Amino acid sequence: MSGANRIPGKGRLTPARTARFTFDGRSYTALRGDTVASALIAHGVHLVGRSFKYHRPRGIISAGPEEPNALIGVSRDTAREQPNVRATVQEVFDGMKTISQNRWPSLSFDMGGINQYLAPFFAAGFYYKTFMWPRQAWKSLYEPRIRAAAGLGVSPTEEDPDHYASRYAHCDVLVVGGGVAGLSAALAAAESGARVILCDEQPEMGGALHHDTGVTIDGQDGFAWAQDAAKRLAAMDNVTVLTRTTAFGYYAQNFLALAERVTDHLDRPAPGLPRERLWQVRAKRVVLATGAIERHMVFADNDRPGILLASAARAYLNHYGVAVGRKVGVYTASDSAYEAAFDLHRAGIAIPAIVDSRAAPGAAVLEEARRLGIEVLAGHAVLGTKGKLRVASMLVAPVNGGAKRQIVIDALITSSGWTPSVHLFSQSRGKVAFDAESQRFLPGIYAQDCVSVGACNGTDDVQATIDEALSAGRVAAAATGHAGGETLSISGAEAFAWSGGMAGAAYGAGPDDDVKAFVDFQNDVCAKDIRLAVREGMHSIEHIKRFTTNGMATDQGKLSNIHGLAIAAETLGRGIPEVGLTTFRAPYTPVTFGTLIGHSRGELFDPTRKTPIHAVEEAMGAAFEDVGQWKRAWYYPRPGEDMHRAVNRECRTVRESVGLFDASTLGKIEVVGPDAAAFLNLIYTNSWDSLKPGRCRYGIMLREDGFVYDDGVVGRIAEDRFHVTTTTGGAARVMHHMEDYLQTEFPHLNVWLTSATEQWAVIAVQGPKAREVIAPLIEGVDLSNEAFPHMSVAEAEICGVKGRLFRVSFTGELGYELNVPADFGPDVWQAVRERAEALGGCAYGTEAMHILRAEKGYIIVGQDTDGTVTPDDASLGWAVGKKKPDFVGIRGLKRPDLVREGRKQLVGLLTKDPAVVLEEGAQIVADPNQPKPMTMLGHVTSAYWSQNCGRSIAMALVAGGKARLGQTLYVPMADRTIPVEVSEMVFFDKDGGRIHG
């Protein structure tokens, strides 16, 4: 049997197709297409969990993603476990195992339930007051226990065996929501010829038509029409239809993130299928048809299992064929709940009474209730409920006082109206507006190319929704260059027209009612908690939210936000729009880490990048280090050498003979266009107009605040073409930095930027014999000092391959950088290596490179700078154009704090004991005997043993460093204090003659 509460002839599921699953170890039968929630209700199970704070029994309240209570653990096997799955969304598959959460030892008898009786001690904000004293107890006592109690489900202990996919897509029109509005908009846009993506989070299109059986469209049942429309769209070549797909984030420039559940509903997924797929969609136009969410009524003990939303009861009956009870009470402030009562009554379910807090419900629904013989108690309120693990009765009385009446029920459905789902609109940075007539927040000012249609836009009538959506679809298609679709016509009608604001939603939970009338079910926030927050001085809705945790659970307050807002406004004596609405943040509904991470796990968690020469270096026995995502040759040990000996040999060889270095990881950006020089003038501190083709220049790039952002050598290949190099770690961010300014600040410039980092393999040849090494390998360039001096660039044939030759040096020696297409990198490396080794040279790695550059006082941005260093601080003031009227960071450089005396400046350090090598990051003080805490003057940025200098050398950022030359400072360490002398940063070849060969 699939459940005693299945109603013969109701629902759209096939009775012959069944699946078995377990809940808390007990086996149940479901129909294919059931959610865990509908299957449990079919078996009369309403108790599914315990609340977070009070551990109160909680039952299923909704039939969709807004569910705050029915969070369960789901597993296929021991390795496939997922906590906090919404039972209202999770489809049943054969063999599924599910468990309830946040209870011990069992769901029906939970020891944590004692918290219900301790509730007076757990009022809103008690965390902030209780754990402030004693202060020292936070880390040792409070925090560990709070962390242990936090959360609902239990995290998996084994590695996730599933894999996840990611896909990028572009379209003309993205339609979010597959109800009447979404389908109509998608049809109109698709008929016009636009490329359309339509997504909906449910397994079938239809939206509210899953529960609303009173709608007819084009003369047929609304749900049947929706399925036909979805098939029609899926058959079009220009349309992609995505079911089980939630649009959870709306970002800048019409970029939306969608999470598609691919296999969570399958019994035995094919091995090649991903569990979930992340769609990253860039759309020219977005149509939001996200519908509306029904709100519950706020009254005493409104959280008992068996109390549901009216729309949920209709969905379980009309789509799943399941009755939520046999004697169902109704409590409402909206006409829509009447329709649920009528559907249940026609299915043979007893409706003891419809309790309506309004004095004058809609005439049409009152007439239908009288015709069906259902008692309507207008102007009445439910004051409370009884029942231990499921609702058993409701206490009813007139709202203005009078005789109370106890009504026996086994389920209670409620509705206080509908909240337009403006979450994605809000994420798009759109501004909502409060509609006083309907007491709803609706889309107001749009920030992106999108439009809201249907219930999320406050449109309630079916025909009005269709007309609005058709128009939006045509306009969106036309805006993307696809005119047409004007002949498409859809007609719709609904049995009852309804609407509902906030009036009467919280009778029995007024200012004088000290009852547990729940607003936020998951976080156990009651109406009295909202009022307490106001009395405590919280007048901003954002402060109230944080003080009470209302709307901060996994459902993001889909049911609770508007209630909390209305109660706060009432308590403050203000209008709802004066109090404001909280911010809706992505994700709209919870998204698994696997979906967000995709393939970025295991070896692909942080993708490894290798230079074109990596395999050759590996064969040479190189030891590698991780530099960002790159594997870089650290040093090249020979037999019997440890790291220090190998590095010392490499440094000495470069100074005495020649060395070759794999510099392929340098960032390389091609800047091309008639305004290329003008663009670089604005991006860099120095001038580029005077740089002639064939010459290079060192450039400093600043942030807007005036601090050093990156540096590198820029070569002018032609009048309209520059080859820009960046630091290894800065390649991507510099590219984004340039692109951002080009698009937003300097769009008038005709410039194109292309990342070429992986296009070129770069081999640096450095040392007195560098020219001798490369001369036989270069064609088309005169390498003499006169014809090709330091800081020159030329296009040449290198080993017969067209490339670019730079005469630059990061060692202070005669140096060249050979840029060749990446595929030819290994062969050119081998040719250069043979020449170098024949002349007594060797390959050197990143450690030797660091030492060689430090010997010459060359900085590395990000190591010798810390985000607060100006060019002058780094002794690079000469690279700032004094006559330039504008560049990025020019105003920042003029701030008083950046030109004051005593700033930290980059200087050299020489230890008094030449053999002592300082630790990078070590702090520096003026007086080692001063009391603690000491006044720190700065820190060591780079420190090495220099074989060429015969001593240790270091660079440091020191307050007033340039004025301290010759002074003795101290570096306090755990075991000793090291005296150091402040010096210039150049430690080797101070006159700089070696760089010119």
Side-chain angles (χ1 to χ4, degrees), residues 155-175:
S155 297
T157 56
E158 298 187 27
E159 183 179 350
D160 186 354
D162 292 310
H163 73 279
Y164 302 81
S166 178
R167 180 170 178 178
Y168 292 90
H170 292 77
C171 64
D172 295 317
V173 182
L174 171 64
V175 181

Side-chain angles (χ1 to χ4, degrees), residues 603 605-610 624-633 665 727-733 846 850 863:
E603 292 183 353
F605 176 74
D606 191 15
T608 299
R609 303 177 72 182
K610 298 178 181 179
F624 291 91
E625 69 167 336
D626 294 326
V627 180
Q629 293 180 329
W630 290 99
K631 289 288 186 183
R632 299 198 70 181
T665 63
T727 57
T728 292
R733 59 181 171 82
T846 54
H850 277 278
Q863 177 167 332

Side-chain angles (χ1 to χ4, degrees), residues 85 89 103 130 163 210 268 271 344 390 395 615 646 658 700 713 729 743 752 826 846 855 888 904 908:
V85 178
V89 172
R103 81 293 185 278
T130 307
H163 73 279
H210 281 79
R268 286 168 289 278
L344 288 166
R390 180 172 174 178
L395 181 63
V658 68
I700 294 285
V713 172
Q743 292 188 29
W752 293 267
T846 54
E855 290 173 351
V888 175
K904 288 184 180 180

Side-chain angles (χ1 to χ4, degrees), residues 655 812-813 855-856 986-995:
R655 297 289 185 210
E813 299 291 334
E855 290 173 351
K856 292 294 296 178
V986 181
F987 304 99
F988 183 86
D989 184 33
K990 294 189 177 184
D991 63 0
R994 298 172 70 97
I995 202 168

Side-chain angles (χ1 to χ4, degrees), residues 750-831:
N750 290 322
V751 180
W752 293 267
L753 307 176
T754 305
S755 174
T757 299
E758 296 184 348
Q759 167 69 27
W760 300 103
V762 182
I763 303 165
V765 185
Q766 307 280 307
K769 298 181 181 179
R771 184 185 292 113
E772 191 176 348
V773 167
I774 70 168
L777 309 177
I778 306 297
E779 294 182 24
V781 177
D782 181 353
L783 296 180
S784 67
N785 276 332
E786 296 74 21
F788 199 68
H790 179 57
M791 298 301 279
S792 295
V793 60
E795 294 187 313
E797 284 201 2
I798 305 171
C799 296
V801 178
K802 289 185 177 181
R804 291 175 180 172
L805 178 67
F806 288 77
R807 182 172 171 184
V808 292
S809 176
F810 200 45
T811 63
E813 299 291 334
L814 171 66
Y816 300 88
E817 288 183 2
L818 285 61
N819 288 248
V820 296
D823 290 346
F824 296 96
D827 292 331
V828 175
W829 172 272
Q830 290 287 42

Side-chain angles (χ1 to χ4, degrees), residues 169-174 249-257 280-286 424-425 427-430 446-450 736 739-745 747:
H170 292 77
C171 64
D172 295 317
V173 182
L174 171 64
Y250 195 147
Y251 307 97
Q253 299 171 331
N254 269 11
F255 181 81
L256 284 87
Q280 299 178 71
V281 180
R282 185 81 69 182
K284 293 180 180 177
R285 285 293 176 104
V286 175
L424 290 178
F425 171 79
Q427 289 177 19
S428 76
R429 305 191 313 281
Y446 287 85
Q448 300 200 49
D449 289 332
C450 69
H736 288 133
E739 194 69 66
D740 181 44
Y741 274 96
L742 181 58
Q743 292 188 29
T744 62
E745 301 297 328

Side-chain angles (χ1 to χ4, degrees), residues 329-365:
V330 181
Y331 183 30
T332 185
S334 168
D335 288 354
S336 63
Y338 285 77
E339 298 183 64
F342 301 158
D343 285 353
L344 288 166
H345 178 84
R346 295 187 187 104
I349 306 302
I351 308 295
I354 298 177
V355 182
D356 196 324
S357 62
R358 301 170 299 168
V365 295

